[in-house]
Amino acid sequence: VTVAVGTSSSGGESPNVLVSGTDGSGDFYALFAGLPNTAYTVQTNSVMSGGTWVKYANYTTLGDGLINVTNVTPAAGALFFRTVYPSY
């Protein structure tokens, strides 16, 4: 498996988001690309740039390098997600 990952120190949205949206039941989902078998911290923020990013959860990619994040209780208003490496 070959995975190409971009990095950014801009403090904004992750450049490794493959797809995101809501499913038929209204749950939010995002699919991130990363390095296979690697731990990442997923953070959230109510604004894309600025504000305070807080830890949502830790995820470890499988051999395909993908992280599937779901949020079954989306917050009112916008909520942005990003990955951070190394995880903490």
Side-chain angles (χ1 to χ4, degrees), residues 1-3 5 34-40 60-66:
V1 173
T2 301
V3 178
V5 179
L35 298 172
N37 305 305
T38 303
Y40 292 87
T60 299
T61 60
L62 299 177
D64 61 6
L66 298 178

mmCIF file of all heavy atoms in Angstrom, residues 1-3 5 34-40 60-66:
data_model
loop_
_atom_site.group_PDB
_atom_site.id
_atom_site.type_symbol
_atom_site.label_atom_id
_atom_site.label_comp_id
_atom_site.label_asym_id
_atom_site.label_seq_id
_atom_site.Cartn_x
_atom_site.Cartn_y
_atom_site.Cartn_z
ATOM 1 N N VAL A 1 0.842 -1.172 0.000
ATOM 2 C CA VAL A 1 0.000 0.000 0.000
ATOM 3 C C VAL A 1 0.883 1.230 0.000
ATOM 4 O O VAL A 1 1.817 1.339 0.796
ATOM 5 C CB VAL A 1 -0.926 0.033 1.244
ATOM 6 C CG1 VAL A 1 -1.680 1.329 1.320
ATOM 7 C CG2 VAL A 1 -1.857 -1.155 1.231
ATOM 8 N N THR A 2 0.611 2.181 -0.879
ATOM 9 C CA THR A 2 1.323 3.446 -0.920
ATOM 10 C C THR A 2 0.384 4.542 -0.463
ATOM 11 O O THR A 2 -0.731 4.649 -0.965
ATOM 12 C CB THR A 2 1.815 3.766 -2.345
ATOM 13 O OG1 THR A 2 2.669 2.705 -2.771
ATOM 14 C CG2 THR A 2 2.551 5.085 -2.385
ATOM 15 N N VAL A 3 0.824 5.320 0.514
ATOM 16 C CA VAL A 3 0.012 6.414 1.028
ATOM 17 C C VAL A 3 0.817 7.690 0.928
ATOM 18 O O VAL A 3 1.940 7.758 1.410
ATOM 19 C CB VAL A 3 -0.387 6.173 2.508
ATOM 20 C CG1 VAL A 3 -1.199 7.341 3.031
ATOM 21 C CG2 VAL A 3 -1.150 4.872 2.653
ATOM 22 N N VAL A 5 0.958 11.517 2.117
ATOM 23 C CA VAL A 5 0.396 12.355 3.169
ATOM 24 C C VAL A 5 1.017 13.733 3.101
ATOM 25 O O VAL A 5 2.238 13.862 3.049
ATOM 26 C CB VAL A 5 0.659 11.742 4.566
ATOM 27 C CG1 VAL A 5 0.096 12.632 5.654
ATOM 28 C CG2 VAL A 5 0.061 10.349 4.659
ATOM 29 N N GLY A 34 -3.630 8.701 6.436
ATOM 30 C CA GLY A 34 -2.423 8.811 7.246
ATOM 31 C C GLY A 34 -1.457 7.703 6.880
ATOM 32 O O GLY A 34 -1.659 6.986 5.901
ATOM 33 N N LEU A 35 -0.435 7.558 7.661
ATOM 34 C CA LEU A 35 0.514 6.472 7.458
ATOM 35 C C LEU A 35 -0.047 5.184 8.043
ATOM 36 O O LEU A 35 -0.669 5.216 9.115
ATOM 37 C CB LEU A 35 1.845 6.808 8.128
ATOM 38 C CG LEU A 35 2.551 8.059 7.587
ATOM 39 C CD1 LEU A 35 3.760 8.396 8.446
ATOM 40 C CD2 LEU A 35 2.951 7.850 6.141
ATOM 41 N N PRO A 36 0.122 4.052 7.387
ATOM 42 C CA PRO A 36 -0.404 2.789 7.901
ATOM 43 C C PRO A 36 0.128 2.470 9.299
ATOM 44 O O PRO A 36 1.290 2.748 9.618
ATOM 45 C CB PRO A 36 0.090 1.757 6.886
ATOM 46 C CG PRO A 36 0.295 2.528 5.629
ATOM 47 C CD PRO A 36 0.776 3.883 6.086
ATOM 48 N N ASN A 37 -0.752 1.927 10.140
ATOM 49 C CA ASN A 37 -0.400 1.462 11.490
ATOM 50 C C ASN A 37 0.240 2.558 12.347
ATOM 51 O O ASN A 37 1.208 2.324 13.054
ATOM 52 C CB ASN A 37 0.508 0.236 11.415
ATOM 53 C CG ASN A 37 -0.104 -0.863 10.580
ATOM 54 O OD1 ASN A 37 -1.218 -1.294 10.834
ATOM 55 N ND2 ASN A 37 0.607 -1.302 9.558
ATOM 56 N N THR A 38 -0.322 3.755 12.273
ATOM 57 C CA THR A 38 0.218 4.910 12.987
ATOM 58 C C THR A 38 -0.878 5.554 13.827
ATOM 59 O O THR A 38 -2.014 5.682 13.385
ATOM 60 C CB THR A 38 0.778 5.943 11.983
ATOM 61 O OG1 THR A 38 1.779 5.301 11.180
ATOM 62 C CG2 THR A 38 1.387 7.134 12.678
ATOM 63 N N ALA A 39 -0.515 5.974 15.054
ATOM 64 C CA ALA A 39 -1.474 6.610 15.966
ATOM 65 C C ALA A 39 -1.534 8.113 15.710
ATOM 66 O O ALA A 39 -0.498 8.768 15.547
ATOM 67 C CB ALA A 39 -1.076 6.343 17.410
ATOM 68 N N TYR A 40 -2.751 8.637 15.682
ATOM 69 C CA TYR A 40 -3.010 10.065 15.503
ATOM 70 C C TYR A 40 -3.993 10.530 16.578
ATOM 71 O O TYR A 40 -4.825 9.756 17.040
ATOM 72 C CB TYR A 40 -3.634 10.357 14.132
ATOM 73 C CG TYR A 40 -2.711 10.114 12.972
ATOM 74 C CD1 TYR A 40 -2.611 8.854 12.391
ATOM 75 C CD2 TYR A 40 -1.940 11.141 12.453
ATOM 76 C CE1 TYR A 40 -1.757 8.620 11.328
ATOM 77 C CE2 TYR A 40 -1.086 10.918 11.381
ATOM 78 C CZ TYR A 40 -1.003 9.659 10.823
ATOM 79 O OH TYR A 40 -0.160 9.433 9.775
ATOM 80 N N THR A 60 -5.788 4.819 15.617
ATOM 81 C CA THR A 60 -4.637 4.195 14.968
ATOM 82 C C THR A 60 -5.098 3.673 13.620
ATOM 83 O O THR A 60 -6.089 2.932 13.536
ATOM 84 C CB THR A 60 -4.069 3.046 15.824
ATOM 85 O OG1 THR A 60 -3.636 3.596 17.076
ATOM 86 C CG2 THR A 60 -2.886 2.388 15.137
ATOM 87 N N THR A 61 -4.397 4.077 12.582
ATOM 88 C CA THR A 61 -4.746 3.614 11.246
ATOM 89 C C THR A 61 -4.437 2.121 11.124
ATOM 90 O O THR A 61 -3.574 1.594 11.810
ATOM 91 C CB THR A 61 -3.951 4.376 10.171
ATOM 92 O OG1 THR A 61 -2.567 4.152 10.389
ATOM 93 C CG2 THR A 61 -4.248 5.863 10.205
ATOM 94 N N LEU A 62 -5.128 1.468 10.226
ATOM 95 C CA LEU A 62 -4.839 0.080 9.899
ATOM 96 C C LEU A 62 -3.862 0.066 8.732
ATOM 97 O O LEU A 62 -3.264 1.081 8.407
ATOM 98 C CB LEU A 62 -6.136 -0.653 9.578
ATOM 99 C CG LEU A 62 -7.157 -0.691 10.726
ATOM 100 C CD1 LEU A 62 -8.439 -1.369 10.283
ATOM 101 C CD2 LEU A 62 -6.569 -1.386 11.936
ATOM 102 N N GLY A 63 -3.710 -1.067 8.108
ATOM 103 C CA GLY A 63 -2.765 -1.200 7.009
ATOM 104 C C GLY A 63 -3.057 -0.310 5.821
ATOM 105 O O GLY A 63 -2.167 0.008 5.042
ATOM 106 N N ASP A 64 -4.312 0.135 5.672
ATOM 107 C CA ASP A 64 -4.660 1.008 4.552
ATOM 108 C C ASP A 64 -4.387 2.482 4.845
ATOM 109 O O ASP A 64 -4.521 3.337 3.981
ATOM 110 C CB ASP A 64 -6.120 0.823 4.140
ATOM 111 C CG ASP A 64 -7.115 1.151 5.255
ATOM 112 O OD1 ASP A 64 -6.705 1.638 6.334
ATOM 113 O OD2 ASP A 64 -8.320 0.909 5.043
ATOM 114 N N GLY A 65 -4.006 2.809 6.087
ATOM 115 C CA GLY A 65 -3.681 4.184 6.443
ATOM 116 C C GLY A 65 -4.873 5.096 6.650
ATOM 117 O O GLY A 65 -4.718 6.307 6.723
ATOM 118 N N LEU A 66 -6.081 4.529 6.769
ATOM 119 C CA LEU A 66 -7.282 5.357 6.881
ATOM 120 C C LEU A 66 -7.789 5.461 8.318
ATOM 121 O O LEU A 66 -7.662 4.528 9.105
ATOM 122 C CB LEU A 66 -8.391 4.799 5.991
ATOM 123 C CG LEU A 66 -8.080 4.778 4.498
ATOM 124 C CD1 LEU A 66 -9.231 4.148 3.734
ATOM 125 C CD2 LEU A 66 -7.770 6.176 3.987
#
